[in-house]
Amino acid sequence: MSDSFSTLTIELTTGTGEVALDITDRCSAFLESVAPGRDGLLNVFVPHATAGIAVIETGAGSDEDLLALLRDLVPADDRWRHRHGSPGHGRDHVLPGLVAPHATLPVVGGQLALGIWQSVVLVDTNGDNPRRTVRLSFLG
């Protein structure tokens, strides 16, 4: 079983503002070390109640568009019942309902089988917690 499953936890600093952080390179580096030439699945999981994983285009504005959409859909105001933390923090706790805290991605020949414009992105709108953990798990 140990040859078919590998996992790694990485720690990231996201800062005090909203961020869509591209972690594709970290995913690829993990696969290079544990799955050279192998086929399987990569699961990316963020064990936080206020962050998610998205597969989107980055660098051409889509990452900022995603954050703007989330601001429009779930504004940081006083409507939220969940009230600890900074004002509007309750919206951060509903984020994983819209941007799931995980993604499972195909791996072919040891590499992510993403579309040409796709990237793996950690979405974090919670400025109260600048440290994030991401678990990468390869099954193959």
Side-chain angles (χ1 to χ4, degrees), residues 21-106:
L21 180 65
D22 188 340
I23 61 169
T24 309
D25 57 345
R26 291 171 176 93
C27 295
S28 295
F30 170 67
L31 291 172
E32 286 175 19
S33 69
V34 301
R38 294 171 57 197
D39 295 345
L41 296 172
L42 175 68
N43 181 263
V44 183
F45 175 70
V46 57
H48 296 281
T50 59
I53 301 294
V55 178
I56 62 170
E57 178 181 10
T58 60
S62 296
D63 40 354
E64 289 300 320
D65 288 341
L66 175 60
L67 293 175
L69 174 70
L70 291 172
R71 281 190 297 274
D72 289 346
L73 289 175
V74 285
D77 58 22
D78 64 356
R79 74 182 70 198
W80 307 104
R81 290 179 186 92
H82 189 107
R83 294 196 183 264
H84 77 84
S86 61
H89 174 65
R91 71 97 177 227
D92 300 323
H93 285 273
V94 299
L95 171 75
L98 300 172
V99 180
H102 59 87
T104 300
L105 307 166

Side-chain angles (χ1 to χ4, degrees), residues 112-135:
L112 283 171
L114 296 173
I116 191 165
W117 302 114
Q118 290 179 316
S119 296
V120 182
V121 176
L122 170 65
V123 179
D124 184 4
T125 60
N126 180 7
D128 292 347
N129 184 3
R131 301 283 303 152
R132 295 300 182 169
T133 299
V134 177
R135 176 169 296 282

